[in-house]
Amino acid sequence: MSEFLSALFLALSLQAGYNTSLVLVGSAILGAGAGAIGVFVLLRKRALVSDAISHATLPGIALAFLFGTWAFGDGRSLWLLLLGATLSAGIGVLAVEWMTRRTRLTEDTAIGTVLSTFFALGIVLLTFIQSLDVGGQAGLSDFILGSTAGLLRADAMLIAVTASLVSLVLITRIKQFSLLCFDPLFAHAQGMKVANLDRLLLLLLLAIVVIGLKTAGLVLVIALTIIPPVAARFWTDRVGPMLLVSAAIGGIGAYFGAAFSSIAADLPTGGLIVLTLFAVFLVSMLVAPSRGVFGSTLKHFFFQRTIHERQGLLAVSRGEPIFDPLTRRLLIKRGYLRADGAPTNEGTMAAQKMARDQALWNAYRRAYPTEAMMLDDWSLRPIDDVLPKDLVQSLSPELAPVSISKSRGGRA
């Protein structure tokens, strides 16, 4: 165990050798770029397109290998293989788009058809290549599950440059892509070419998928573009912060996954990176304060108590009895009720304030019904904390004085 931790520390601190450090840095840059583009793919609801793109690369890789073997005597050039993957994936994307626009097939049906057909063709071609008397065909299977063992400095530079360019385009076009995702009709009305933006988004996604083939493999590279933004969604609702969080999760997950892979050389890099990303996703789902399970449970817990306390004080202000055990416990704990159910002086004052607050909220709802509907938590917070002071004062003349009879408060 100590040897494992020591090897892991050396890998994470970039002291495990030049090649290992190169792989870790390259994987982290790839993960960050994939996480960033994944935000808009997820918000555009086109996550399955990345699956179609990744699977459509396989016949291109096989055909590029055959072409390289025939033309140059060696088909193992990474540039040539990635070029073939790009062309093949591009044809797959165009096929999906054509089937969606020119036929009555839905997009998911078109994606399923293209994905399975291209992948089947790639498997047939790979099987054919294995039967040939040429060298280097064994390395093609690394593109299916990923392997970083043969990653060179030039390959890492290719990943870094491509991921940086994709990130730069995303940053400069963040407003246009946000409009495309949330309101394409408004984007069209603003003079934006929605179809071109869609194609640009797919082109960026295609670039990330292709350069990620060697690292994560075509089966699992989709996880680099899906898991980080899904995990980031638990932490924030805003596009800008979500972009940063998703890129950070993708970079960290790929960095640690590649580090694990450098220790367990027999295990596929893609699988370890995806499992690491899933661990980050699991933590985000549980502990993220915005949408996480624990955060949502705490929000519901405090929301429930706010409702009970508010309704209890309103009942006190009307001199009505309180039967609900939780409401009674909360008011007694806050010092608003005595043990026999009668309101205390502090409870009477709090009930008067709550009754005034509720009456003001009701007046606001009558005067400004549309604005009131746009407030998610209207009437749950003190109105003075939500509305401007002059607006609250303008509502006050409509109110009648609130008086509380202590003899009617508490248990009936």
Side-chain angles (χ1 to χ4, degrees):
M1 187 65 181
S2 60
E3 293 181 0
F4 172 81
L5 293 177
S6 176
L8 180 61
F9 174 77
L10 288 176
L12 292 175
S13 58
L14 303 179
Q15 301 178 49
Y18 174 78
N19 194 55
T20 301
S21 302
L22 195 67
V23 168
L24 262 63
V25 174
S27 300
I29 295 173
L30 170 66
I37 186 66
V39 169
F40 294 107
V41 174
L42 178 71
L43 294 177
R44 186 68 175 135
K45 297 182 175 62
R46 306 201 73 179
L48 282 179
V49 174
S50 55
D51 202 15
I53 290 175
S54 62
H55 283 76
T57 58
L58 188 57
I61 293 172
L63 289 173
F65 179 84
L66 290 173
F67 175 78
T69 303
W70 171 74
F72 311 112
D74 187 359
R76 292 176 295 179
S77 168
L78 182 62
W79 285 87
L80 183 62
L81 296 177
L82 294 185
L83 177 61
T86 303
L87 294 175
S88 178
I91 294 173
V93 171
L94 292 176
V96 170
E97 191 172 330
W98 184 87
M99 293 172 70
T100 305
R101 295 188 177 183
R102 299 300 178 90
T103 69
R104 301 182 66 179
L105 295 177
T106 58
E107 187 177 67
D108 57 343
T109 305
I111 289 173
T113 304
V114 171
L115 182 152
S116 55
T117 303
F118 275 66
F119 191 66
L121 176 61
I123 292 296
V124 170
L125 289 173
L126 282 184
T127 305
F128 171 71
I129 290 173
Q130 299 302 323
S131 67
L132 297 178
D133 187 19
V134 295
Q137 66 267 56
L140 294 180
S141 59
D142 292 341
F143 284 94
I144 297 179
L145 296 178
S147 173
T148 56
L151 205 66
L152 304 175
R153 185 175 184 274
D155 305 333
M157 288 298 295
L158 172 65
I159 293 173
V161 171
T162 306
S164 300
L165 288 176
V166 169
S167 301
L168 182 63
V169 174
L170 289 177
I171 292 171
T172 56
R173 299 269 181 167
I174 185 170
K175 181 180 178 182
Q176 290 89 337
F177 282 134
S178 299
L179 275 177
L180 174 70
C181 295
F182 291 109
D183 197 342
L185 292 179
F186 181 72
H188 179 70
Q190 292 294 308
M192 298 179 189
K193 297 186 182 302
V194 174
N196 289 344
L197 277 175
D198 249 336
R199 292 190 184 98
L200 178 59
L201 185 63
L202 289 178
L203 184 63
L204 298 176
L205 176 63
L206 173 62
I208 287 293
V209 168
V210 169
I211 63 170
L213 289 176
K214 185 68 176 176
T215 303
L218 63 90
V219 175
L220 297 174
V221 71
I222 180 179
L224 290 177
T225 62
I226 299 302
I227 296 179
V230 171
R233 196 76 173 89
F234 286 109
W235 294 94
T236 179
D237 295 327
R238 300 174 58 192
V239 175
M242 185 178 171
L243 202 66
L244 295 176
V245 174
S246 179
I249 290 175
I252 292 172
Y255 186 84
F256 275 78
F260 292 137
S261 174
S262 68
I263 299 171
D266 296 334
L267 298 179
T269 308
L272 292 173
I273 290 177
V274 172
L275 289 177
T276 306
L277 288 173
F278 178 75
V280 179
F281 162 80
L282 198 60
V283 171
S284 301
M285 185 179 68
L286 292 176
V287 306
S290 180
R291 292 169 173 257
V293 173
F294 294 151
S296 299
T297 303
L298 283 176
K299 280 184 181 177
H300 178 73
F301 177 82
F302 289 113
F303 175 79
Q304 186 183 38
R305 272 152 180 73
T306 300
I307 293 292
H308 277 273
E309 183 177 321
R310 187 176 186 87
Q311 294 302 319
L313 288 175
L314 289 175
V316 171
S317 71
R318 295 190 293 266
E320 296 173 352
I322 300 173
F323 296 107
D324 184 78
L326 176 59
T327 306
R328 288 176 59 84
R329 283 201 305 272
L330 287 173
L331 294 184
I332 291 174
K333 185 177 179 181
R334 295 290 301 269
Y336 295 151
L337 286 184
R338 296 199 297 264
D340 61 357
T344 63
N345 290 333
E346 186 180 2
T348 301
M349 294 174 60
Q352 288 176 334
K353 185 176 184 305
M354 188 63 72
R356 172 188 172 276
D357 205 70
Q358 185 64 40
L360 285 170
W361 274 121
N362 291 338
Y364 177 70
R365 187 175 59 174
R366 288 192 298 272
Y368 306 96
T370 304
E371 290 81 355
M373 288 180 62
M374 296 176 67
L375 294 174
D376 293 334
D377 54 352
W378 83 272
S379 85
L380 292 182
R381 289 192 293 162
I383 196 169
D384 295 315
D385 295 347
V386 180
L387 300 181
K389 188 176 180 180
D390 55 343
L391 178 57
V392 176
Q393 288 177 344
S394 70
L395 298 171
S396 300
E398 300 183 19
L399 305 183
V402 178
S403 62
I404 298 176
S405 172
K406 287 192 176 183
S407 61
R408 294 181 63 191
R411 187 192 295 271

